[in-house]
Amino acid sequence: MNKTKVSRKNSIGTNNPIWGGRFNNRPNSIMEEINSSIHFDWRLFREDIECSKAHAKMLAAVDIINDKDEKQILDGLDTILKEIEEGLFKFNPELEDIHMNVENRLTDLIGETAGKLHTARSRNDQVATDFKLWVRNAIDQSDQQLKELQSALIDRAEEHTNTILPGLTHMQNAQPITLGHHFLSYVEMFGRDRSRFVDARKRLNECPLGSAALAGTSFPINRQMTSSALGFDQPTRNSLDSVSDRDFALESLAAASLCSSHLSRLGEEIVLWSSSQFKFIRLSDSFSTGSSIMPQKRNPDAAELIRGKNGRISGSLFSLLTSMKGLSLAYSKDMQEDKEPVFNAFDTLSLCLRAATGMICDMTINVELMQKSAGTEYSTATELADWLVKNLDIPFRKAHELTGKIVKLSESKSLQLWELPLSELQRIEPKITKDAQKVLLPCSAVQSRNSFGGTSPDQVKIQINDARERFL
């Protein structure tokens, strides 16, 4: 939280700094502690000041306040913004939240005119608007960081259109694929994440300001003006829903959670690939850590933390879902619990995206070992089954059975499929020719997978061009 050299008294009453004449005594210190949100919602200061400036300009435009009042308010808000940015502002927990802290300081600066700013609005519509602005900015940042991660993945895919590695199912060697194809699979995942964020942003981009506490206002305000000034598409259509709605936060958290799960999968593969059992990649010192007791260790902690922080982000979603469940309309103080999980989730997501991009750019790839591993565990058996279907007109189920027998024969002789002599293959199926042996090499298997979206180098090159056009 920002510190300050500014010392001042509360300007909104001695006994009741916020609620004015309704109460005679100050709240209990425990009540003040549980009720205050300034220790986290201070982060809304830019959005709050932006929102207040738009509101002040609208009030002046419809003659609710005069031009002199407008100028004083706007100048005062600019002063407060500068104080906060320069660390000269002291946030006061007794004033509960960012809204009252700003208003209180504005009163210090311009006197009673500051009180006119709250005409035709409530903290309910004010916080809903501030929070929407913050979430919208967080979505935009996430989209940009996802784009940078996609760009790094596409660049690495282009470097490795011909690099062969084992494709796995059930964590067992399944079929050879290209590394470029593997990288592009994450490009597609993160592309869907971006589309979810874009969709959530579109839905949230309606302005609650002017809904007041829950019922609208009797003042002749211009909600279209404030909506446009703040970059919203339009004002919200129902004042009751406007101050009650946190769907935008939940939907954005849901998108962040799914994105985090994709990052976790990527982190898991980096952990596996960098292990001594795989040795497919090596991370530099920049993205590795050591051990306090074992001098030889090189740990992929960044990847492990990306994997682990999925729990934090998904937990934020469930936290807010639980807080919002069963709330009657309109605003309830429970909704103060909305900001911390959102702040935490997007802070965490931003860090994970930057770390993932760094590791993708940083990793050194052991091409030779990848390719050697891709040919093990009879990973080209499907190619033989396909050859039997295409060349001998054998039904696939029968071809599958015959190939299984050939795999069993190879295993008994400790040979790879392409190492079996033709005579041995013909013991299982006499019509097999030497052409069948050619398809059993991993490089041939990869080249043959040339269907749309397949793993062949030619298809990967097409996918790279397509991905650049769609995402970058």
Side-chain angles (χ1 to χ4, degrees):
M1 188 179 294
N2 292 316
K3 303 297 182 183
T4 181
K5 299 176 182 177
V6 177
S7 176
R8 59 187 185 277
K9 298 178 181 178
N10 294 328
S11 302
I12 311 179
T14 303
N15 291 330
N16 302 289
I18 299 172
W19 306 304
R22 176 63 179 85
F23 291 79
N24 293 321
N25 299 309
R26 296 185 64 85
N28 184 281
S29 61
I30 298 172
M31 179 61 195
E32 287 185 345
E33 184 178 354
I34 195 172
N35 198 45
S36 177
S37 59
I38 190 60
H39 59 285
F40 56 83
D41 72 14
W42 68 270
R43 294 183 58 169
L44 297 173
F45 72 88
R46 287 189 179 86
E47 291 79 9
D48 192 70
I49 290 172
E50 182 185 3
C51 177
S52 290
K53 290 174 72 173
H55 188 65
K57 290 176 183 178
M58 182 275 295
L59 292 177
V62 298
D63 297 324
I64 293 175
I65 63 174
N66 61 41
D67 292 344
K68 180 181 177 182
D69 293 339
E70 177 192 15
K71 186 178 188 310
Q72 280 188 296
I73 290 170
L74 295 177
D75 289 347
L77 290 170
D78 285 338
T79 298
I80 294 168
L81 179 61
K82 185 177 181 182
E83 286 179 352
I84 298 175
E85 289 178 337
E86 294 179 356
L88 301 175
F89 191 97
K90 184 177 181 180
F91 294 98
N92 185 353
E94 292 181 359
L95 296 171
E96 289 190 10
D97 56 32
I98 184 61
H99 322 298
M100 298 310 300
N101 270 265
V102 170
E103 183 176 332
N104 192 53
R105 178 57 178 151
L106 187 63
T107 303
D108 285 345
L109 293 171
I110 67 173
E112 289 189 353
T113 301
K116 296 182 179 182
L117 177 59
H118 209 55
T119 306
R121 75 175 185 185
S122 161
R123 281 191 295 174
N124 292 357
D125 61 333
Q126 190 178 355
V127 68
T129 307
D130 292 355
F131 198 25
K132 275 195 172 185
L133 290 172
W134 193 95
V135 171
R136 192 174 70 184
N137 291 334
I139 285 174
D140 291 344
Q141 175 180 275
S142 298
D143 181 73
Q144 179 59 37
Q145 290 179 327
L146 279 163
K147 182 178 178 180
E148 291 167 4
L149 177 54
Q150 285 180 302
S151 180
L153 287 162
I154 292 169
D155 287 345
R156 296 313 302 260
E158 194 163 39
E159 292 175 33
H160 293 281
T161 56
N162 292 291
T163 299
I164 300 174
L165 80 158
L168 310 180
T169 62
H170 308 278
M171 280 301 295
Q172 307 294 315
N173 275 21
Q175 291 180 279
I177 60 173
T178 52
L179 181 56
H181 192 238
H182 194 99
F183 281 141
L184 290 176
S185 69
Y186 283 103
V187 173
E188 293 299 321
M189 284 188 210
F190 296 130
R192 292 193 297 274
D193 291 326
R194 289 179 67 187
S195 71
R196 276 183 281 270
F197 277 126
V198 168
D199 197 40
R201 190 192 195 282
K202 181 179 180 181
R203 222 177 333 273
L204 76 75
N205 210 36
E206 295 182 348
C207 183
L209 193 61
S211 299
L214 74 161
T217 178
S218 61
F219 290 94
I221 60 173
N222 185 340
R223 292 191 63 205
Q224 284 74 19
M225 179 179 174
T226 48
S227 176
S228 178
L230 294 170
F232 290 101
D233 295 329
Q234 60 188 9
T236 52
R237 296 180 181 273
N238 182 285
S239 60
L240 192 62
D241 176 62
S242 299
V243 298
S244 308
D245 170 38
R246 291 299 183 271
D247 288 1
F248 64 92
L250 289 164
E251 191 171 1
S252 300
L253 281 177
S257 297
L258 192 47
C259 178
S260 177
S261 74
H262 293 152
L263 286 168
S264 179
R265 297 181 77 175
L266 177 60
E268 167 70 2
E269 295 207 309
I270 291 173
V271 170
L272 288 173
W273 288 4
S274 61
S275 70
S276 57
Q277 288 74 25
F278 278 74
K279 294 184 180 179
F280 285 177
I281 63 171
R282 181 182 175 87
L283 297 173
S284 74
D285 293 353
S286 299
F287 285 95
S288 302
T289 63
S291 165
S292 64
I293 190 173
M294 295 170 283
Q296 82 281 7
K297 291 298 295 296
R298 174 184 290 273
N299 300 324
D301 280 4
E304 292 174 9
L305 286 165
I306 286 174
R307 187 179 60 189
K309 286 181 185 295
N310 175 241
R312 179 187 294 260
I313 295 174
S314 297
S316 295
L317 170 62
F318 286 111
S319 172
L320 186 52
L321 279 169
T322 304
S323 294
M324 293 300 298
K325 183 188 74 67
L327 291 187
S328 61
L329 299 178
Y331 182 84
S332 297
K333 198 71 173 192
D334 312 51
M335 293 165 68
Q336 184 169 286
E337 294 298 306
D338 58 0
K339 294 165 200 67
E340 286 184 288
V342 172
F343 292 160
N344 189 287
F346 277 99
D347 288 347
T348 303
L349 182 63
S350 175
L351 179 59
C352 290
L353 285 168
R354 287 182 282 126
T357 302
M359 285 188 291
I360 291 299
C361 294
D362 176 82
M363 65 174 61
T364 300
I365 296 167
N366 190 335
V367 174
E368 184 177 344
L369 189 56
M370 274 190 177
Q371 181 154 337
K372 181 179 179 181
S373 180
T376 62
E377 301 299 324
Y378 316 106
S379 62
T380 57
T382 304
E383 307 307 315
L384 179 57
D386 288 349
W387 187 92
L388 293 171
V389 171
K390 288 185 286 188
N391 292 275
L392 302 184
D393 196 27
I394 295 175
F396 182 81
R397 288 302 174 198
K398 180 63 176 178
H400 186 285
E401 178 187 348
L402 292 171
T403 303
K405 292 178 179 179
I406 291 171
V407 169
K408 188 175 182 180
L409 177 63
S410 298
E411 190 174 34
S412 69
K413 295 180 176 294
S414 299
L415 296 173
Q416 295 298 327
L417 287 176
W418 64 84
E419 295 174 328
L420 273 178
L422 179 59
S423 59
E424 294 291 335
L425 294 173
Q426 290 175 335
R427 282 177 53 194
I428 307 297
E429 171 48 63
K431 295 180 181 178
I432 292 178
T433 69
K434 63 180 180 179
D435 290 338
Q437 293 175 299
K438 297 176 183 177
V439 304
L440 295 175
L441 293 170
C443 57
S444 298
V446 165
Q447 291 284 354
S448 72
R449 301 291 167 177
N450 205 34
S451 57
F452 181 80
T455 192
S456 75
D458 288 343
Q459 274 297 314
V460 170
K461 290 173 185 176
I462 292 171
Q463 292 164 30
I464 287 169
N465 292 333
D466 177 64
R468 288 193 190 282
E469 184 176 337
R470 286 188 292 139
F471 298 125
L472 305 185

